[in-house]
Amino acid sequence: MKKKKSIRSYLLKQHFFVITITVALFEIAIFIGLYHYYYKNTEEILASHAKNAVHFAMRSSELSPFQLQYHIPEMINDYQLRGTEMQIVSPSGNILASSSGFLPDEVIEHHILQQATIESPIPWKGKNPSSGERVMAVVVPLENGEETIAYFRYVTSLERMDIFFKRQLSISLGVGGVIILLVLLLSMAFSKQMTTPLTRLTKASKRLARGEFDARIHGDYIGELDTLAKSFNEMSHALLQHEKMKDEFISSVSHELRTPLTSIKGWSDTLLTGDLNDIEEVELGLNVISKETSRLTNLVEELLDFSALKNESYSLQPTTFPVKALLNEIQTQFKKQTNKKQLTLSVTACPDVHIHADKNRIKQVLINLVDNAMKHSPSGNDIELSGRINEGSFVFSVIDEGDGMDELELEKIMAPFYKANPNTVGAGLGLSICQHIIDLHHGEFLLESKRGEGMKASFSIPFDSHEIGE
């Protein structure tokens, strides 16, 4: 399998590419600037002087092909340029005179002479045939009317200029190389800073995949990397909490299953080995078996409901039903328990209000809330079960005067498998299932409580005012 490139190498290559292109463009700009400074400026100086010299020569003297040879020494003396060699060239290309005193053995190419005009002198760069050095020359015609009688040619050596140009270019290239090197070093440090948390995240993720939920990423990072590190730590912490809850759930469910099964097994053995004619003992044993079987059934149904909700296979079967009748059913269902514990369960609801919802699931939620209220209410207290209309919603409430709970417990109580008291009967799924049922009804679930001041559990579902009196 082909190994993928690391982010660090990718960043280094990207930085190297960008800085190399930038430095290359910078070097090209410097090259153009140096070339213009050394060569173009020299060319412009030679061309400007050549044009001015020709203009002065044509205005100051009456020149003709026959008089030219008499004016050559004067023109060489008056129109030469310091640092250059001035040559007077015949129309045929032969050099007639030179400010150096030596006549080079060369003939100027005819096409160069033909292209030259007074306003557009022709520049030329090449090697001097006699010395072999690089030179620059500018040619401009000397005219008499429409006839060209000679050419002024200014020649300057480029040797020193080439040396300066190459030196400056070398310095520029050296500086560019140093810049690339420094940027690469900085890029290495920067990419390391960028990839270190990612490397740590990778190692921590592998630990997490092995089931080590205490894996954490330590350190402070910049921007989104710091957010990523914190998010990973929060995720691993949440997974650790879920793992603990799972272990607690397995332990709790095992205990919840073992207790009724032990009772069922014990009484079954007792009945099988005992005297079946002892009606009182048989009745007692069957009652215990029936009660513990119901307890097991409720536990299994609770687990199945939670599994169905998690797998999104849980569906509602909504119908339209009267609220008052439902609350009265629940009151009747809990009558025996409330009498036994000396509690009062009061019902408040408008008799003519109907709602459209899954009656059995709404009843399941209310039974769970009333059962919780009874568990935490001392004898002699009141529990209020009510239903009312509130701004486009129908709100059910169960209010008790029990122990209540603090804010920290209130935040955890809705979590699956959480039990404030580990000794409480059940798997700790009741409120979580209630929350899911209300979510499926597009409603809102709310718990309000303070330690020692009881609990108010309420939920709302959408309500159509046309349902009143149906």
Side-chain angles (χ1 to χ4, degrees):
M1 184 177 178
K2 188 177 179 181
K3 187 178 180 181
K4 292 186 177 181
K5 295 180 180 178
S6 66
I7 294 179
R8 187 175 181 182
S9 63
Y10 178 79
L11 288 174
L12 285 174
K13 287 181 179 179
Q14 290 295 315
H15 289 168
F16 178 76
F17 176 77
V18 171
I19 195 60
T20 301
I21 293 297
T22 304
V23 171
L25 293 174
F26 179 69
E27 295 292 342
I28 291 173
I30 290 179
F31 175 83
I32 294 173
L34 290 175
Y35 181 84
H36 187 274
Y37 178 78
Y38 284 107
Y39 296 103
K40 279 293 183 180
N41 281 353
T42 301
E43 181 183 312
E44 289 173 1
I45 290 172
L46 292 179
S48 177
H49 182 81
K51 289 191 291 184
N52 292 333
V54 165
H55 281 297
F56 277 114
M58 290 189 300
R59 284 200 302 267
S60 60
S61 304
E62 290 292 335
L63 297 177
S64 67
F66 303 104
Q67 296 175 336
L68 178 64
Q69 59 181 335
Y70 303 109
H71 293 281
I72 286 177
E74 179 185 346
M75 288 189 291
I76 290 291
N77 183 65
D78 292 343
Y79 303 127
Q80 64 179 310
L81 178 63
R82 184 178 178 181
T84 65
E85 177 184 0
M86 179 185 177
Q87 299 172 348
I88 297 180
V89 182
S90 67
S92 61
N94 295 314
I95 298 175
L96 303 178
S98 172
S99 61
S100 65
F102 298 96
L103 294 179
D105 186 18
E106 85 180 277
V107 176
I108 309 304
E109 295 180 9
H110 185 69
H111 70 90
I112 295 177
L113 299 178
Q114 289 295 318
Q115 292 176 6
T117 65
I118 295 177
E119 298 303 324
S120 300
I122 295 299
W124 175 85
K125 288 190 285 291
K127 288 190 176 181
N128 190 323
S130 57
S131 64
E133 65 177 342
R134 266 177 38 88
V135 296
M136 177 187 291
V138 171
V139 175
V140 64
L142 181 65
E143 298 176 347
N144 182 17
E146 296 182 358
E147 180 183 9
T148 300
I149 59 176
Y151 294 90
F152 283 0
R153 185 170 185 255
Y154 292 89
V155 184
T156 184
S157 173
L158 296 178
E159 292 294 321
R160 291 183 62 190
M161 199 177 302
D162 287 343
I163 292 173
F164 283 125
F165 179 77
K166 291 177 181 178
R167 183 183 299 167
Q168 295 296 326
L169 194 59
S170 298
I171 292 173
S172 175
L173 291 173
V175 170
V178 171
I179 291 174
I180 291 176
L181 180 61
L182 289 175
V183 171
L184 279 178
L185 293 175
L186 291 173
S187 296
M188 290 176 66
F190 174 73
S191 61
K192 183 178 180 181
Q193 185 182 15
M194 291 285 291
T195 56
T196 295
L198 297 177
T199 303
R200 292 179 179 176
L201 177 62
T202 301
K203 293 179 179 178
S205 299
K206 291 179 179 178
R207 288 183 59 198
L208 201 63
R210 294 195 298 266
E212 300 177 30
F213 298 113
D214 60 341
R216 297 290 186 275
I217 302 176
H218 301 287
D220 295 325
Y221 306 104
I222 57 174
E224 287 80 2
L225 293 175
D226 187 62
T227 303
L228 179 62
K230 289 180 179 177
S231 297
F232 178 86
N233 290 338
E234 290 173 359
M235 178 187 69
S236 60
H237 176 73
L239 288 174
L240 182 61
Q241 294 303 312
H242 281 292
E243 184 69 11
K244 289 180 179 178
M245 289 173 60
K246 183 195 74 174
D247 293 340
E248 292 172 0
F249 164 71
I250 293 174
S251 176
S252 175
V253 170
S254 299
H255 174 73
E256 293 294 331
L257 291 173
R258 186 186 298 112
T259 301
L261 286 174
T262 301
S263 298
I264 293 171
K265 180 71 168 69
W267 274 103
S268 297
D269 292 340
T270 299
L271 293 175
L272 287 173
T273 58
D275 184 4
L276 295 179
N277 294 321
D278 187 347
I279 302 300
E280 185 177 347
E281 185 179 74
V282 171
E283 185 177 350
L284 176 62
L286 291 177
N287 283 332
V288 171
I289 291 173
S290 177
K291 180 180 178 181
E292 295 303 313
T293 302
S294 297
R295 181 176 168 187
L296 280 174
T297 302
N298 291 335
L299 179 61
V300 171
E301 286 180 353
E302 196 174 64
L303 292 173
L304 290 174
D305 281 347
F306 183 75
S307 177
L309 287 167
K310 282 297 182 182
N311 295 329
E312 298 183 355
S313 59
Y314 199 92
S315 60
L316 300 178
Q317 296 178 349
T319 59
T320 301
F321 59 90
V323 175
K324 180 71 172 178
L326 173 64
L327 300 186
N328 287 337
E329 286 180 23
I330 296 171
Q331 184 184 38
T332 302
Q333 183 172 335
F334 279 97
K335 187 173 183 179
K336 186 175 181 179
Q337 292 99 309
T338 54
N339 290 338
K340 183 177 180 180
K341 202 173 180 181
Q342 297 180 350
L343 297 172
T344 302
L345 177 60
S346 60
V347 171
T348 305
C350 296
D352 57 348
V353 175
H354 292 63
I355 62 171
H356 188 73
D358 189 324
K359 179 181 178 180
N360 291 330
R361 295 307 175 186
I362 295 296
K363 184 177 181 179
Q364 179 182 348
V365 174
L366 291 172
I367 288 174
N368 189 286
L369 296 180
V370 172
D371 186 59
N372 285 341
M374 290 181 59
K375 289 176 182 177
H376 298 91
S377 295
S379 298
N381 283 14
D382 293 333
I383 299 173
E384 181 185 344
L385 173 60
S386 64
R388 60 187 175 84
I389 302 169
N390 182 32
E391 297 180 356
S393 298
F394 195 88
V395 181
F396 290 94
S397 299
V398 177
I399 303 173
D400 65 64
E401 300 173 342
D403 301 330
M405 58 180 58
D406 55 35
E407 187 176 348
L408 185 61
E409 285 182 317
L410 206 59
E411 291 177 357
K412 298 178 181 178
I413 196 67
M414 300 298 294
F417 313 122
Y418 178 80
K419 294 197 294 183
N421 184 359
N423 297 321
T424 304
V425 175
L429 293 172
L431 288 178
S432 180
I433 292 173
C434 291
Q435 175 74 71
H436 281 293
I437 292 174
I438 301 308
D439 288 342
L440 290 174
H441 280 87
H442 306 290
E444 183 178 1
F445 198 96
L446 182 63
L447 295 177
E448 300 173 75
S449 180
K450 288 185 178 180
R451 177 65 69 184
E453 297 183 10
M455 167 84 74
K456 178 182 179 182
S458 59
F459 63 90
S460 61
I461 59 174
F463 175 75
D464 188 349
S465 59
H466 294 91
E467 295 169 354
I468 297 176
E470 287 188 4

